[in-house]
């Protein structure tokens, strides 16, 4: 079972509030990810990190920011939440095993998610 | 444009029968594919994967088939059980470079009827 945790699991807040979604993993994985998912839709990558002090924006534009000061911790922050930010946020981590073409064995392990509702 | 497609939003199967979930992709550089299962209010759970050097991978009741020429993969679950009822996501990645990320399909909701 994957050791990756997200808090809070559910959050309902008002517009304009600053929030931080927490994600921690105890597997020592270098790569971590944040995805956003709306009901019935695919997971969209919004941020990822290769390791400490490395952060990159994902495929889907997001007004959130992330930081990676410690290997195990990858928090996501919204400075001013809006109703359009209402969604499920999923954190994941992976440890890619190097190899030749066709031998990629990277597997992402997901946390339980945070369901955010902005009123 | 979606690079990974799961054209069936939902599928219903009788308990004990075979469930076949399909996934199509457009990027010929994808060489690694995974299936994830997701229950409501939980994160996706890794199920099974396949590398492009194979055309089949089996793990218990789950088998994934890859047809590279058709850019198509499928997940077979035999026999299907009520506990298999969940949303199944197909995901793909290109190459083994450290910077490659996964692209997910929209998911197929499987309902296994008792």
């Amino acid at each position: 079972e994957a050791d990756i945790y997200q808090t809070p699991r559910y959050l309902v807040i008002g517009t304009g509030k600053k929030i931080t979604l927490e994600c921690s993993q105890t597997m020592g994985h270098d790569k971590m990810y944040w995805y956003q998912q709306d009901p019935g839709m695919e997971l969209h990558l919004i941020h990822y990190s290769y390791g400490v002090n490395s952060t990159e924006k994902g495929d889907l534009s997001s007004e959130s920011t992330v930081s990676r000061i410690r290997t195990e911790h990858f928090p996501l922050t919204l400075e001013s939440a809006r109703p359009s930010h209402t969604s499920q946020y999923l954190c994941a981590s992976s440890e890619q095993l190097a190899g030749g073409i066709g031998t990629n064995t990277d597997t992402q392990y997901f946390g339980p998610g945070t369901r955010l509702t902005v009123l | 444009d979606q690079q990974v497609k799961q054209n069936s939003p939902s599928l219903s199967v009788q308990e004990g029968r075979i469930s076949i979930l399909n996934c199509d992709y457009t990027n010929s550089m994808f060489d690694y594919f995974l299936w994830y299962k997701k229950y409501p209010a939980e994160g996706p759970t890794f199920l099974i994967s396949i590398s492009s050097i194979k055309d089949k991978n089996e793990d218990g009741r789950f088998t994934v088939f890859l047809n590279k020429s058709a850019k198509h993969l499928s997940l077979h679950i035999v026999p299907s059980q009520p506990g298999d009822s969940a949303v199944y996501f197909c995901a793909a990645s290109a190459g083994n470079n450290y910077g490659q990320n996964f692209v997910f399909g929209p998911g197929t909701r499987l309902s296994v009827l008792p």
Side-chain angles (χ1 to χ4, degrees):
Chain A
E1 192 164 315
D3 294 319
I4 179 163
Y5 310 98
Q6 289 185 245
T7 57
R9 293 292 310 277
Y10 302 92
L11 181 61
V12 180
I13 60 169
T15 296
K17 299 290 186 185
K18 176 180 178 179
I19 59 165
T20 296
L21 308 184
E22 301 288 348
C23 176
S24 295
Q25 51 95 5
T26 58
M27 297 173 282
H29 288 169
D30 285 330
K31 291 190 78 174
M32 294 190 75
Y33 314 78
W34 275 103
Y35 291 88
Q36 186 174 338
Q37 187 199 15
D38 294 320
M41 304 295 289
E42 60 264 49
L43 281 70
H44 287 290
L45 182 68
I46 52 174
H47 296 284
Y48 61 99
S49 167
Y50 296 143
V52 172
N53 293 327
S54 149
T55 60
E56 302 285 344
K57 288 191 179 295
D59 306 320
L60 181 69
S61 174
S62 173
E63 293 164 346
S64 57
T65 59
V66 292
S67 63
R68 190 86 183 277
I69 299 172
R70 303 197 316 263
T71 298
E72 62 270 22
H73 196 211
F74 191 40
L76 180 144
T77 299
L78 276 166
E79 291 293 333
S80 180
R82 294 206 301 270
S84 60
H85 296 140
T86 295
S87 189
Q88 184 178 38
Y89 292 83
L90 292 160
C91 180
S93 72
S94 70
E95 181 186 41
Q96 183 164 354
L97 302 179
I101 296 296
T103 62
N104 185 355
T105 56
D106 199 11
T107 299
Q108 293 189 359
Y109 297 93
F110 283 84
T114 294
R115 181 160 295 284
L116 173 65
T117 302
V118 183
L119 304 176
Chain B
D1 187 33
Q2 282 187 338
Q3 296 187 67
V4 178
K5 302 177 185 180
Q6 293 176 258
N7 292 321
S8 297
S10 62
L11 174 69
S12 292
V13 170
Q14 208 67 36
E15 180 179 5
R17 306 295 293 268
I18 184 172
S19 295
I20 300 177
L21 298 105
N22 294 303
C23 177
D24 297 286
Y25 60 96
T26 58
N27 187 342
S28 58
M29 296 301 291
F30 286 147
D31 69 344
Y32 184 57
F33 306 89
L34 306 92
W35 284 95
Y36 284 85
K37 173 177 163 181
K38 185 179 185 297
Y39 293 119
E42 293 184 14
T45 303
F46 170 73
L47 204 54
I48 192 169
S49 64
I50 189 166
S51 167
S52 61
I53 60 174
K54 296 185 174 182
D55 53 20
K56 176 183 173 182
N57 189 25
E58 191 172 351
D59 183 1
R61 296 187 296 115
F62 302 92
T63 303
V64 55
F65 295 92
L66 175 63
N67 183 334
K68 290 187 288 294
S69 60
K71 295 191 180 68
H72 176 84
L73 65 155
S74 60
L75 174 68
H76 293 211
I77 306 173
V78 182
S80 301
Q81 299 173 354
D84 296 329
S85 297
V87 177
Y88 289 78
F89 290 96
C90 172
S93 75
N96 66 336
N97 296 327
Y98 206 52
Q100 297 297 333
N101 294 313
F102 290 93
V103 179
F104 285 80
T108 296
R109 181 177 300 278
L110 173 66
S111 299
V112 179
L113 309 173

